[in-house]
Amino acid sequence: LDRAGGSPLQRARLHTQLGMVLGAVGQRDEALALLDESEAAIATQLGPGSTGLVPTLNVRGTVYEGRRDVDRALADYARALAICEAHLSPDHPDVAAIFNNMALIEEHHERYDKARAHLERALEIRRRSLGAEHPLVGTTRMNLGSLLLMTGDSDGAITQFEQALAVLTRAQGADADIADIFYNLGIAYQARGELEQARERYQDALTRSELLHGPTSAEVAYPLLGLGEVLVELGRDAEARAALDRALAIRTREGVEPVDLGELRFAFARALTTVDRDRAVMLAQQAREDYARDGAQDHVQDIDTWLKGQVKRRD
């Protein structure tokens, strides 16, 4: 641009893209400085209500979100939404993308009703404007399913995940999403007590994750843990131990968060009680320390209760 004599508008658009990259690698102050310049230049060249501002507002909202500045993030998304609804239409795909971004913020801050309303609106828009088989419809269903699962609606989550799976299976390049859907379906079926269905979905997630990421990737530990927990519930302890032992080896190499290690160690402890009670107790105690470091007192109490039961059995 310097050599070619680029216009202020071209430079502003480049700054928006560079701001997105800087924000993605954590250089948020530098990103915001560029995005502020970009917004000012575009508003000067095209007007303060121009659709040309929408990409910059969306990117800056994402950067603010990464900095945990929720109010400013939502303010930028709200401005982008108002511009799109006024100049494009309330049913434009760009409007759906903004609703999706706003939903992620609301979900992160446990404002689940607002998050659900935003995702349902995004889904409605994308189905109408893009068609029911578009991959973005699948990913929106996936996001909505995750929210429903988080809020305890296993039935609703399964409906959304199964429909997302059908759409994304027919789309190209959706392998990672499909692996996540299989894993989330495992959680949902497990919560509903349908253990064999859960086991099948965890196995599907494991197979696909291994193909995508390799057999020792941290991503593989998630379906291994789910599979191990369900196998314990099904009384198939030997298979459970194999899955959980492998998951533990992966996670101790990766240096994961204490709560993730605690979850895995306690699951493994429950699978070991019939063959190696000493190791089971040791793992449970380590899990207790993991949860305590993370401030997860409910889990600490669960493990204390379990450990007392093991002492009584020994007596």
Side-chain angles (χ1 to χ4, degrees), residues 8 23 27 44 51 71 113 159 161 169 237 248 273 305 315:
Q27 297 180 36
T44 299
T51 56
D71 291 338
D113 289 344
T159 296
F161 286 139
T169 299
D237 287 358
L248 185 59
T273 52
T305 300
D315 294 343

Side-chain angles (χ1 to χ4, degrees), residues 125-148:
I125 293 169
R126 284 174 167 166
R127 286 183 62 198
R128 184 181 299 124
S129 61
L130 302 174
E133 293 297 307
H134 195 280
L136 284 175
V137 172
T139 55
T140 309
R141 287 194 181 281
M142 181 180 167
N143 290 341
L144 181 56
S146 297
L147 176 64
L148 294 173

Side-chain angles (χ1 to χ4, degrees), residues 29 43 53 95 127 147 167 185 195-196 198 258 295 302:
D29 289 342
L53 280 169
V95 172
R127 286 183 62 198
L147 176 64
V167 171
L185 276 168
L195 299 181
E196 188 55 35
D302 289 342

